[in-house]
Amino acid sequence: MASVSIWHPLNLHNTRNGVDIKVRELITLSMLIALGGVESQIKGHIQGNLNVGNGKDILLDLITQLLPWVGYPRTLNALKCLNEVATE
């Protein structure tokens, strides 16, 4: 059962066509920020975004655009994560 629970979300959905990896990482990061309380996963997906070519400026724009929907606390937490991971 554990192998199915790991295989299903990682392999089935991440290998689908239609959305490229850069956009997929932005969507994943957006959902994690909206969820809240998952800062370690946010940091991991910030690094993932940087690895696929989404720069710090794009991530800053993304977090800023989420503010009206997720509120200030989650936005500030995401900005803190971004500054910890993307130290230029």
Side-chain angles (χ1 to χ4, degrees):
M1 185 64 165
S3 64
V4 171
S5 66
I6 293 171
W7 177 84
H8 181 70
L10 295 179
N11 290 323
L12 180 61
H13 297 295
N14 284 343
T15 58
R16 295 175 70 182
N17 295 327
V19 178
D20 69 4
I21 190 68
K22 291 173 84 172
V23 174
R24 189 171 297 160
E25 272 296 328
L26 289 172
I27 293 168
T28 302
L29 180 59
S30 299
M31 299 310 296
L32 289 171
I33 292 169
L35 181 62
V38 290
E39 282 72 23
S40 62
Q41 288 83 2
I42 290 172
K43 290 177 186 178
H45 281 279
I46 287 172
Q47 187 61 57
N49 270 282
L50 296 171
N51 291 345
V52 298
N54 292 324
K56 185 175 180 179
D57 56 335
I58 292 173
L59 300 179
L60 182 59
D61 289 344
L62 172 79
I63 294 168
T64 304
Q65 291 296 318
L66 289 173
L67 174 61
W69 291 276
V70 302
Y72 280 99
R74 289 181 179 162
T75 300
L76 293 175
N77 287 342
L79 288 172
K80 181 181 176 194
C81 291
L82 178 62
N83 288 329
E84 289 176 5
V85 174
T87 56
E88 292 182 301

